[in-house]
Amino acid sequence: IELAKATIMDPQRRSRYLDDLARANGGGGGDERSVAEASFEFAKAEAYLKTNDRARAEAHIRNAVKLAPNNVDYAVLFVSVQLTPEATPAKVTELAAELDRLVKLSPDSERALYLRGQARKRLGRTKEAMADFNRVVAINPSNIDATREIRINAMRSQEKLAPPEDKGGLG
């Protein structure tokens, strides 16, 4: 892991690795190099997200999407970076529409479905959000985030159905 990290972070090592990868794939370095570079950019974006450095994450995922525009995982992460707590309802609506498109391209994308569920939930589209979270759990029963969303929604629904508490008053 340390060698991989050192290779990614050192521009000369990364360039050498990409050239070797392109030669190994029988190419002259064009498309194979772009695919590998996009993969590195994606890995960097994920690493920066883990440290809550959204600005750097966005720069790297933007590069990955530019290098591999048809990669759904990269596009989903790009949407994820933009879906901030500060995003306006109009922006969330726009991002939800982009996630609709990405889910059509990759119907079993756990990440796209979960993120779309989050966007829909923010827009007050709870029923649709729960459908996304249930689909995520069907794909991956170990997804604790989607499971938590379903459980919280169920508890809130039960609270709404429960009769009002008797405060012990006599009249």
Side-chain angles (χ1 to χ4, degrees), residues 18 28 30 32 50 54-55 71 88 93 106 108 121-122 129-130 155 171:
L18 293 172
E32 293 88 358
K50 287 179 182 171
R54 282 194 173 289
N71 187 304
T88 65
T93 299
S106 184
D108 290 333
K121 182 177 150 191
R122 282 182 58 182
M130 289 305 115
M155 289 187 321

Side-chain angles (χ1 to χ4, degrees), residues 110-148:
E110 189 177 333
R111 183 180 253 171
L113 287 162
Y114 179 78
L115 192 58
R116 186 174 71 175
Q118 288 293 317
R120 287 174 163 179
K121 182 177 150 191
R122 282 182 58 182
L123 293 169
R125 295 163 49 188
T126 307
K127 190 173 183 177
E128 292 171 286
M130 289 305 115
D132 283 339
F133 296 138
N134 279 303
R135 179 76 180 116
V136 169
V137 171
I139 293 166
N140 177 5
S142 299
N143 187 308
I144 59 172
D145 295 322
T147 302
R148 182 182 324 113

Side-chain angles (χ1 to χ4, degrees), residues 4-133:
K5 184 177 176 183
T7 301
I8 289 172
M9 301 312 269
D10 181 327
Q12 289 178 330
R13 279 175 128 172
R14 182 174 63 237
S15 182
R16 211 171 322 126
Y17 171 76
L18 293 172
D19 289 340
D20 291 345
L21 183 65
R23 275 192 297 281
N25 287 329
D31 287 343
E32 293 88 358
R33 185 176 176 95
S34 292
V35 168
E37 188 66 34
S39 179
F40 281 133
E41 291 293 320
F42 177 73
K44 285 188 227 177
E46 284 191 314
Y48 281 121
L49 271 181
K50 287 179 182 171
T51 64
N52 287 325
D53 189 340
R54 282 194 173 289
R56 284 188 175 160
E58 184 171 350
H60 288 290
I61 197 58
R62 196 178 288 274
N63 288 337
V65 169
K66 196 181 304 178
L67 291 164
N70 297 324
N71 187 304
V72 171
D73 290 332
Y74 300 172
V76 171
L77 188 60
F78 185 53
V79 171
S80 171
V81 169
Q82 297 174 74
L83 193 60
T84 64
E86 298 80 26
T88 65
K91 182 66 174 178
V92 176
T93 299
E94 174 190 322
L95 296 172
E98 175 62 6
L99 288 163
D100 287 342
R101 185 184 75 78
L102 295 170
V103 168
K104 282 181 185 168
L105 292 173
S106 184
D108 290 333
S109 171
E110 189 177 333
R111 183 180 253 171
L113 287 162
Y114 179 78
L115 192 58
R116 186 174 71 175
Q118 288 293 317
R120 287 174 163 179
K121 182 177 150 191
R122 282 182 58 182
L123 293 169
R125 295 163 49 188
T126 307
K127 190 173 183 177
E128 292 171 286
M130 289 305 115
D132 283 339
F133 296 138

